[in-house]
Amino acid sequence: MIIDAYTNFPFKDMVLLTQLFTCTKNSKFLVKNTTTNLACVRYASKKSSTSTRNAPIRTIPKHRGWRVQDGHYVKESTILATQLKPRFHPGLYVGFGKNGTLYALESGKVMITCEKINPNMSRSWARLNYADRENNVIYKKHFNVIPESQHNRFVLIDTL
């Protein structure tokens, strides 16, 4: 008996299998006599597994909030704070961007104050952000920039 080295099956049994396929009653030849078309297929013995743990979401943080602290010196067009909702309000020499960014309009010293606001409820952004606090007193932080050289536009009207 000859043993096939690749499949470890006896070669005689393989020949018998090919003859069985070729010599069935009332059927055409399935396999040619000269070649053996049988192939051994190996299946995985274990099912491949995947992790069931939900992977953490890798979002890049936006780092919103204060950029400059109280008392620092800033140059013109320096970003003072970034925000989604109006947490901080612009004060003296501070601009308010479309995305809520506060930036300096003049070079000078930053001064942060807490002031009472009275939002104009006819504006859509005020209704969106302050609708639930309509009759309450609202205090918000205001960013102010005090320029180095003060302008001389003030006129003394009266003294006490």
Side-chain angles (χ1 to χ4, degrees):
M1 178 186 293
I2 301 171
I3 296 178
D4 187 8
Y6 180 70
T7 59
N8 293 332
F9 289 127
F11 189 70
K12 185 177 177 184
D13 293 339
M14 214 169 188
V15 173
L16 289 175
L17 284 173
T18 56
Q19 289 176 357
L20 179 69
F21 282 119
T22 57
C23 300
T24 54
K25 291 183 181 180
N26 299 327
S27 66
K28 296 182 179 179
F29 290 110
L30 298 175
V31 179
K32 292 183 181 178
N33 284 334
T34 56
T35 61
T36 56
N37 288 337
L38 294 176
C40 294
V41 179
R42 293 180 62 188
Y43 294 103
S45 60
K46 292 182 182 178
K47 184 178 179 181
S48 64
S49 63
T50 59
S51 64
T52 58
R53 180 177 172 265
N54 290 332
I57 299 172
R58 308 268 179 182
T59 57
I60 299 170
K62 303 293 188 257
H63 302 293
R64 291 189 180 99
W66 294 25
R67 295 281 182 268
V68 178
Q69 297 294 325
D70 192 18
H72 285 205
Y73 179 81
V74 293
K75 293 183 179 179
E76 186 179 340
S77 74
T78 302
I79 293 176
L80 304 175
T82 55
Q83 57 191 344
L84 272 181
K85 294 184 177 181
R87 288 182 58 198
F88 314 116
H89 287 259
L92 190 65
Y93 296 110
V94 175
F96 191 76
K98 282 196 300 187
N99 58 354
T101 302
L102 299 179
Y103 57 92
L105 296 174
E106 297 266 336
S107 335
K109 190 176 179 182
V110 175
M111 192 171 100
I112 300 170
T113 59
C114 186
E115 299 176 19
K116 195 186 301 187
I117 65 165
N118 186 13
N120 185 2
M121 289 299 177
S122 64
R123 302 282 184 151
S124 62
W125 69 269
R127 280 193 310 267
L128 180 70
N129 294 304
Y130 300 116
D132 54 340
R133 302 167 70 180
E134 200 163 339
N135 296 323
N136 299 340
V137 177
I138 303 170
Y139 291 97
K140 288 289 180 179
K141 286 191 175 45
H142 284 71
F143 278 77
N144 303 294
V145 175
I146 310 301
E148 282 181 343
S149 59
Q150 296 286 327
H151 55 76
N152 295 325
R153 290 183 233 152
F154 295 115
V155 178
L156 182 62
I157 297 174
D158 192 16
T159 60
L160 295 175

